[in-house]
Amino acid sequence: MKRLCLLGLIALSVACPVLAESRLDDKPSFIEQLLRQMTLQEKIGQLRLISIGADMPRERLAEELAAGNVGGTFNSVTRQDNRPLQDAALRSRLKIPIFFAYDVIHGHRTIFPIGLGLASSWDMQAVATAGRVAAIEASADGLDMTFAPMVDIARDPRWGRTSEGFGEDPYLVSEIARTMVGAYQGKSLRNPGSLMASVKHFALYGAVEGGRDYNVVDMSPLRMHQDYLPPYHAAIDAGAGGVMVALNTINGVPASANRWLLRDLLREDWGFSGVTISDHGAITELLRHGVAADGREAAKLAIDAGLDMSMADSLYGQHLAELVQAGDVPIQAVDQAVREVLGAKYDLGLFHDPYRRIGQASEDPPEVNAESRLHRQAAREVARQSLVLLENRNNVLPLDTDRIALVGPLADSHIDMLGSWSAAGVAKQTVTLRQAMQAALGEHGRLVYARGANVTDDEKLVEYLNFLNWDNPEVVQDPRPADQMIAEAVAAARQADVVVAAVGESRGMSHESSSRTSLQLPASQQALLRALKQTGKPLVLVLMNGRPLSLAWAQANADAMLETWFSGTEGGHVIAEVLFGDYNPSGKLPISFPRSVGQIPTYYNHPRLGRPFVEGKPGNYTSQYFDEPNGPLYPFGYGLSYTQFSLSPPRLSTEVLSRGQSLDVSVTLKNIGKHDGATVVQLYIHDLAASVVRPVKELKGFRKVWLKAGEEQQVRFSVGENELKFVDAQLRQVAETGMFEVQVGLDSQHVQTQRFELR
C-alpha cells in the first residue's frame, strides 16, 4: 500500500501547495496557514473523535477520513489496523493526519498493578517504570494518546472507579500525576516511544454523590481547590497535552458545558494550552442532564464552554456548521478548538511523519500478542512494591511449610489478575497464584488446590461480569453446588499445614459503572472462609480487589492478610515471592479501609471539629458512631513488614521559620528486625490555628527507605512556605503565620511530633 506522508516542505507542497509557505519548524505559523485553508466542514471534522466499531464501522470510517470529517479515533490497537486508517486520512484534501488514542491506564500489553496498587508502592521510580513501559508498548502498536492518568481523588470506595486512581490524598496523587505524565510523554512527544497524556476526569469525578458512578457532585469552592483539584493541576504543570472532561455535573452544571471549568479555570488560571476531549458521548448526555433542549443546543453549550473534541461524536458533526452559519456560534470558537487539535498533532510529530508510531508494514511484529513483546521483569519489579501486608499474627508469614492448601475463586483466575481497563493485555499471559505457588514449591512440595466457591452466586451480578469479560472470555462460574465446593476446600485444608485463600472481587466488580452498596466479601466467599476457619488450620488471606473492603471478620479471624489489589501480568509470581519470603512486602495503603460501609467517607485528612472524638475518653456529645469504633480499620499510609523498624522523634533545625526560608526535619530510621526490608517514612503537617478550618493533618513529604537488618539511616525533609500553604476563604493560596506541628511516622496514625512557628 502506498505510504502517504508529509515529510518536510517538499511533501507539504505536493499535498497542499499553500502550506509550502509555512515552515514546519514554526508551529504557530504552520497551524495558522493550515487553518486558513480549511473549510468549515473540515474544521468541524477535526473536532470529531470516533470510536472504531462502536460508533462507526471501518468501511464507513475510511470514507469519512478521506472526506476530512474525522480528527482522531480510539479503540484500534494494532499497526495493521491503524495504517489503512491513516492512509485514508491522507487521501483527504488537506492530508491532515489523524491520531490514535486508547485507555492505557496501568500498562498496555504488559499489565502492571491497578492504580491503587501503583500508589501503594509509594515509589515514584516504580510508577515511572509502569508508565514508561506502557508508552513504549502502546506507541509500538501505533497509538499516539492515552486517556490517562486518572487522578480523581476517591474517598468513597463504593465507587467502582476507585480502582483506576491513586487514592484519597491530594499530595500523593499529585506526585503520581506528575510522574505518570512525564513517563508517558517522555523527553519529547515526537519520539516514537512517547504517548500524549490526557489527564482525566476533569473534574471532581471521584466525589460523585453516594459513590454511584455518573452521579452529581455538589462541593464548596474551598474544598474543591484544596482537596480535589490539585492532582489535575499537577498533571497540567507536568505538561499533559490533553484533558478528558468528566461526565458528572459540578454544582449544577455538567462539566462538558461548564465554561468556568474549561475556560476560566483550566485555560485562564492554569494556562493550559492543550486539547480538551469529552468523555464518551458526553455532549449528547447534556440532553439527559436537562441543560439542553435538543442536540443543536447541546453542541452549542459544549463548544461555547471550551470543549474541543467530541468523543463518539454525532452532535458536532450534525449541528456545528448550522450554528456557525446562523451566527449562534462564532467561527472564532471553532477555530480555537481546531487550533488545539492541530497543535496536539503537531506536538506528536504527526505533521512531520504521520506514520511515526505506525511504521511500515515490513516492521510489523509477526505476532501481535507475542511473548517477546512483554516486559515481564519490569512488571514483576513494580508489582513487588505494590503489595501491602495488613496482618501477620505469630509470624505465620513467610510460609515455612511445603504442605499448603490453596483455595478461593481468585487463586487460578487469569483474567482477574488483569484488573479493570487492562488495555491490550491478554488474560492467558498472566501468571495466576496457583501457577506461581506450584512453580515455587516444585516437585518436593505439595499444593492442594480447590476453588471452594464462586466469586459470587448472585445471578444478576454474574450476568454483568460475563458482559464485562466479552473481550477475554473465561469461565466465571463453577456450576457445582456451593456446599460441594466448600466441602472440597475443607478436605484440601485438612491435608495441609496452612491454608492460603485467594478471595475478594472479580475485576468487573471494581470497574466503570460497578458501584457497590456493600464493601463486604460476597456471601459465597464469606461462607467459604468461615468453613476454613473451623478446620483450625492457620488461615492466610490473599486479597484481590479494586477498592477498600470491610474486613472486620477477616481481621479478627485470619492469621495473615496480604492486600494484592489486581497485580497484573506477573502478579502470581510476586504474591508467591512474598508468601514464601523471597521478597519482604513494603507497600503502604494510599486509601483508608473503613470498618463498615456506614463509616464512609473515611479519610485521614478530615477537617477539625468543634466536638472531636478522642480515643480513650468518654464519647458522649462528640462526633462518633455509638455502635462502632471511630476511625478506619486500616489507616492511610499503613502497611506491615517481615521486619520491624524504629523511628526517632523528629528533630527540627529551628523552632522559628521566617518567610522565604525553610527548616530541616530529620529522623533516624532503624531496621531493628531480622530481615532486610523497606518502609515509607511519612511527613505530615498540622496547622494549629488558621483563618479557615484546616485538616487534622496533611501529607507533605515521604521517603521510601531500604535497610539491611540492623542498619539505620537519617531521613531528612525540608519544610518551607509551600508546605504550609492552603486555600483561604477568598480562594487564595496563603501561608499564615502561627504555630505548626510536624508529624512523622510510618503511617498516618502513629506519629511523633514537634512544633515550630512561622513568623
Side-chain angles (χ1 to χ4, degrees), residues 295-598:
R296 188 177 189 276
E297 185 177 9
K300 173 177 166 51
L301 286 172
I303 196 73
D304 283 347
L307 190 54
D308 299 332
M309 293 197 83
S310 173
M311 180 188 288
D313 175 70
S314 60
L315 298 186
Y316 272 9
Q318 290 176 22
H319 299 293
L320 272 187
E322 62 175 293
L323 285 165
V324 172
Q325 291 161 357
D328 293 328
V329 168
I331 187 61
Q332 292 85 353
V334 173
D335 284 351
Q336 188 55 42
V338 176
R339 284 188 188 96
E340 308 302 353
V341 176
L342 297 178
K345 295 179 179 182
Y346 184 96
D347 292 341
L348 285 163
L350 294 176
F351 285 111
H352 298 75
D353 181 2
Y355 298 87
R356 182 175 297 274
R357 295 170 184 81
I358 299 173
Q360 301 182 43
S362 60
E363 301 168 344
D364 290 347
E367 170 55 47
V368 169
N369 295 322
E371 174 67 27
S372 59
R373 301 191 69 195
L374 301 182
H375 292 73
R376 288 192 179 272
Q377 187 58 37
R380 191 180 293 202
E381 290 171 358
V382 172
R384 282 175 181 145
Q385 300 197 58
S386 70
L387 274 55
V388 185
L389 184 61
L390 299 178
E391 297 288 344
N392 193 21
R393 292 188 180 88
N394 302 316
N395 296 319
V396 69
L397 293 179
L399 299 173
D400 62 356
T401 177
D402 58 3
R403 294 200 326 146
I404 301 168
L406 175 63
V407 302
L410 298 170
D412 200 31
S413 175
H414 286 277
I415 195 168
D416 290 310
M417 301 304 295
L418 293 171
S420 63
W421 296 114
S422 53
V426 176
K428 288 300 183 182
Q429 289 182 326
T430 65
V431 179
T432 69
L433 181 55
R434 181 186 183 185
Q435 289 175 317
M437 290 187 71
Q438 189 63 71
L441 286 171
E443 342 181 305
H444 305 294
R446 187 178 183 202
L447 185 72
V448 186
Y449 167 75
R451 182 180 175 96
N454 288 310
V455 171
T456 177
D457 289 331
D458 184 321
E459 292 183 2
K460 183 178 179 181
L461 180 55
V462 170
E463 181 180 354
Y464 177 64
L465 296 178
N466 280 325
F467 165 74
L468 290 177
N469 289 342
W470 67 269
D471 58 338
N472 268 302
E474 183 171 297
V475 175
V476 173
Q477 290 296 96
D478 188 315
R480 293 177 295 164
D483 56 354
Q484 180 181 338
M485 295 172 67
I486 289 177
E488 181 184 59
V490 168
R494 296 193 189 282
Q495 300 175 54
D497 298 324
V498 63
V499 180
V500 175
V503 294
E505 300 178 309
S506 166
R507 69 168 189 155
M509 294 170 68
S510 289
H511 200 278
E512 181 173 356
S513 191
S514 294
S515 300
R516 294 183 63 186
T517 59
S518 169
L519 300 179
Q520 298 281 350
L521 290 171
S524 57
Q525 297 182 63
Q526 291 187 46
L528 170 65
L529 293 181
R530 286 187 168 88
L532 293 172
K533 179 66 178 177
Q534 292 300 312
T535 68
K537 298 297 177 73
L539 179 60
V540 176
L541 300 192
V542 172
L543 300 169
M544 299 181 188
N545 45 289
R547 52 161 61 86
L549 298 175
S550 296
L551 299 169
W553 184 92
Q555 185 197 47
N557 290 276
D559 295 280
M561 273 198 294
L562 182 66
E563 176 59 82
T564 72
W565 311 108
F566 297 112
S567 46
T569 301
E570 284 289 295
H573 282 316
V574 169
I575 299 168
E577 286 178 345
V578 170
L579 293 178
F580 289 116
D582 298 317
Y583 187 82
N584 190 348
S586 61
K588 299 281 187 176
L589 294 178
I591 189 168
S592 305
F593 275 47
R595 297 175 186 275
S596 68
V597 73

Side-chain angles (χ1 to χ4, degrees), residues 146-214:
T146 174
F147 302 128
M150 195 280 248
V151 301
D152 303 319
I153 294 292
R155 292 176 173 174
D156 189 335
R158 291 175 296 181
W159 188 47
R161 304 194 80 166
T162 298
S163 63
E164 294 175 52
F166 306 116
E168 69 184 44
D169 179 64
Y171 182 87
L172 179 60
V173 178
S174 294
E175 290 297 299
I176 298 174
R178 292 188 189 94
T179 301
M180 288 296 281
V181 169
Y184 284 137
Q185 298 193 162
K187 294 181 179 179
S188 171
L189 277 171
R190 293 189 186 180
N191 291 340
S194 66
L195 281 181
M196 180 174 283
S198 184
V199 63
K200 65 183 185 185
H201 305 84
F202 190 66
L204 318 183
Y205 193 28
V208 286
E209 201 169 86
R212 197 170 75 246
D213 214 353
Y214 317 126

Side-chain angles (χ1 to χ4, degrees), residues 664-733:
D664 289 334
V665 180
S666 61
V667 293
T668 300
L669 176 71
K670 186 172 183 178
N671 183 343
I672 58 174
K674 298 179 180 179
H675 302 273
D676 301 344
T679 192
V680 180
V681 182
Q682 302 160 37
L683 171 77
Y684 298 88
I685 297 290
H686 169 46
D687 192 342
L688 271 66
S691 58
V692 296
V693 173
R694 302 287 291 118
V696 294
K697 64 184 66 180
E698 295 175 292
L699 181 70
K700 292 296 180 180
F702 57 89
R703 300 282 188 278
K704 191 160 192 177
V705 182
W706 186 90
L707 296 175
K708 293 181 178 180
E711 186 181 9
E712 65 179 52
Q713 181 177 321
Q714 192 171 77
V715 181
R716 295 181 180 275
F717 300 93
S718 179
V719 175
E721 277 189 79
N722 283 339
E723 285 69 41
L724 308 181
K725 285 183 177 179
F726 64 95
V727 178
D728 69 5
Q730 286 73 47
L731 304 184
R732 301 171 302 186
Q733 285 278 346

Side-chain angles (χ1 to χ4, degrees), residues 52 74 101 126 201 220 266 310 312 417 528 618 643 661-662 693:
I52 296 173
F74 64 105
H201 305 84
S220 72
L266 183 63
S310 173
M417 301 304 295
L528 170 65
T643 193
Q661 304 296 313
S662 62
V693 173

